[in-house]
Amino acid sequence: MRLQWTDPVTGAVGYLVVHTLRSSLATGGTRMRAGCTVTEVEDLARGMANKTATFDLPVGGAKGGIDFDPKDPRAIEVLERFCEAMRPWIDAHWVTAEDLGVPQHLIDEVFEKLGLGQSYHAAIRRADDPAATLERVRNGLNAAVEGGFLLGDVIGGYGVAHACLAAAVSWGQSPAATTVAIQGIGTMGGAAAYYLHEAGMTVTALADAAGTLYCADGLDVPALLDLRDGFGEIDRARLPDGIEQRPRAAILSVDADILVPAAISYAITPDNSYDITARIIVEAANAATTPEAEAMLAARGIPVLPDFVANAGAVAWAWWLLLGEVDDNPENSFDRLRTIMHSKVAELLSEWTEHGRTPRETGHRWADEPAPLAGPVVIP
């Protein structure tokens, strides 16, 4: 199902695409970027359906998208009007959350202003005690973790980091002997960089909208993350010594074992895929690699860990939290996600090395056979 909306004030165009309903629910974030198209939102909704099926979640997939610059001072008002227009779906069927250009705190502010409490509203309202469920969700999202972060902000990037670590394990390579380059240091990319650095992997390059930062000996990731502004860009005026500044596109050709595209969709195309020398690509951004580029990379022996596995930790965790399967103790969430992610990546890469099946082909087999629903979704 596709819905198109035009903002009466700015002329911005927004879309809601519902790919699949399970138990009359679908989940998927809302993004905002200039140039967002319905085709893009369709791809993302399909990806969300793949994520929920792959991780055996009892919901379908959807996505929202708004063609508008998130840096425009009117952006939050546009987001509010979009959510108001989508109220019938937001009330009863669509569980949404942060995405590119829309941080979680911002969409939660909009939902609270609309009297909906929090962006998981469509699920929370089904609980026997919605107030208690809302409190559990907020406690989980706002649980403090090491580094001064909140659990809800870093859990997706933590999953991406462990997808990367699982890839290194599959090679029999220690984190300290493995290098990684990350395109994008917002919520997902920044958290992935932090946890990879903490695990001892050498992060040689980080890219934001202003360019690529490179250091062969490894970047001080926590120090650089402290220099980010509200849009995930690093203040170049305060860069530490010893960091080389390169063009933004240079991130793809950096000499690193692992490349993590964690910014925009369709970042890797046939035109730039030959610049990539990494052993593996781990998709932290949704739909980061075009199908044509992925086929070209596979022909060169470079696998792509698809987004619907590598970055699905955020949606899986959100539903574990809603279903009461994890709580506000971060270690419980980290342990569960780490175990599942390592198991899934090991299987994907085993199929790749032993049978030549791309990780996406194997992942799609999982997604096409979701766990059957035992009954209606019960939100405790």
Side-chain angles (χ1 to χ4, degrees):
M1 186 211 69
R2 302 166 184 83
L3 291 178
Q4 181 170 321
W5 163 85
T6 300
D7 181 26
V9 178
T10 65
V13 178
Y15 311 97
L16 168 61
V17 176
V18 179
H19 182 277
T20 311
L21 285 171
R22 299 189 82 199
S23 297
S24 78
L25 287 169
T27 192
T30 298
R31 69 171 38 192
M32 181 183 288
R33 75 171 189 89
C36 183
T37 67
V38 68
T39 301
E40 175 183 346
V41 180
E42 288 172 356
D43 286 349
L44 297 169
R46 184 179 304 111
M48 286 304 305
N50 288 338
K51 289 180 190 182
T52 59
T54 297
F55 279 75
D56 295 328
L57 304 177
V59 295
K63 205 73 175 185
I66 304 171
D67 180 3
F68 197 72
D69 182 357
K71 295 182 180 180
D72 190 299
R74 300 169 295 172
I76 189 170
E77 297 170 2
V78 172
L79 179 62
E80 182 179 338
R81 289 190 289 270
F82 173 78
C83 291
E84 181 62 55
M86 300 300 163
R87 261 309 265 278
W89 280 90
I90 284 171
D91 269 335
H93 305 289
W94 179 31
V95 176
T96 192
E98 69 176 7
D99 200 86
L100 181 72
V102 181
Q104 186 65 39
H105 71 86
L106 191 66
I107 198 163
D108 281 345
E109 286 176 21
V110 167
F111 269 64
E112 192 160 1
K113 189 172 181 180
L114 294 176
L116 301 175
Q118 202 272 342
S119 75
Y120 301 173
H121 169 77
I124 292 171
R125 70 190 292 269
R126 296 186 177 207
D128 290 337
D129 187 346
T133 302
L134 177 58
E135 182 179 7
R136 183 177 73 249
V137 166
R138 283 178 169 163
N139 288 342
L141 287 167
N142 296 315
V145 298
E146 185 179 348
F149 303 116
L150 300 180
L151 180 57
D153 290 338
V154 300
I155 192 70
Y158 180 87
V160 171
H162 278 278
C164 296
L165 290 163
V169 168
S170 76
W171 306 327
Q173 192 165 300
S174 70
T178 307
T179 55
V180 59
I182 302 175
Q183 178 197 46
I185 51 173
T187 301
M188 189 72 74
Y194 178 84
Y195 287 110
L196 287 169
H197 181 269
E198 289 295 295
M201 196 172 284
T202 304
V203 181
T204 59
L206 293 172
D208 61 12
T212 297
L213 303 178
Y214 176 79
C215 179
D217 295 331
L219 297 165
D220 183 345
V221 171
L224 292 176
L225 295 182
D226 284 343
L227 301 180
R228 289 181 298 180
D229 62 19
F231 299 103
E233 295 178 17
I234 292 171
D235 183 356
R236 279 3 188 222
R238 296 190 289 155
L239 283 179
D241 294 334
I243 295 179
E244 180 183 344
Q245 297 190 50
R246 297 181 176 181
R248 182 172 61 180
I251 189 71
L252 299 181
S253 58
V254 165
D255 183 16
D257 295 310
I258 302 173
L259 174 63
V260 180
I264 60 173
S265 300
Y266 319 124
I268 299 174
T269 68
D271 290 339
N272 61 30
S273 67
Y274 277 108
D275 296 332
I276 295 170
T277 60
R279 293 180 63 175
I280 190 170
I281 293 168
V282 178
E283 289 189 320
N286 292 317
T289 312
T290 69
E292 297 82 4
E294 185 166 344
M296 293 166 69
L297 289 163
R300 294 171 54 208
I302 302 173
V304 176
L305 284 183
D307 55 357
F308 63 87
V309 176
N311 78 7
V315 66
W317 174 81
W319 278 91
W320 297 338
L321 183 62
L322 276 165
L323 296 169
E325 296 174 5
V326 297
D327 52 22
D328 58 0
N329 181 342
E331 291 310 312
N332 295 336
S333 298
F334 287 152
D335 288 347
R336 180 171 185 175
L337 180 54
R338 179 175 62 249
T339 300
I340 293 175
M341 188 63 73
H342 277 259
S343 174
K344 289 189 179 295
V345 171
E347 187 172 346
L348 291 177
L349 294 182
S350 174
E351 288 291 311
W352 166 254
T353 56
E354 294 177 14
H355 304 291
R357 296 191 188 97
T358 69
R360 193 174 302 276
E361 289 172 332
T362 301
H364 276 151
R365 291 214 313 271
W366 298 343
D368 290 343
E369 299 175 1
L373 294 177
V377 175
V378 177
I379 307 293

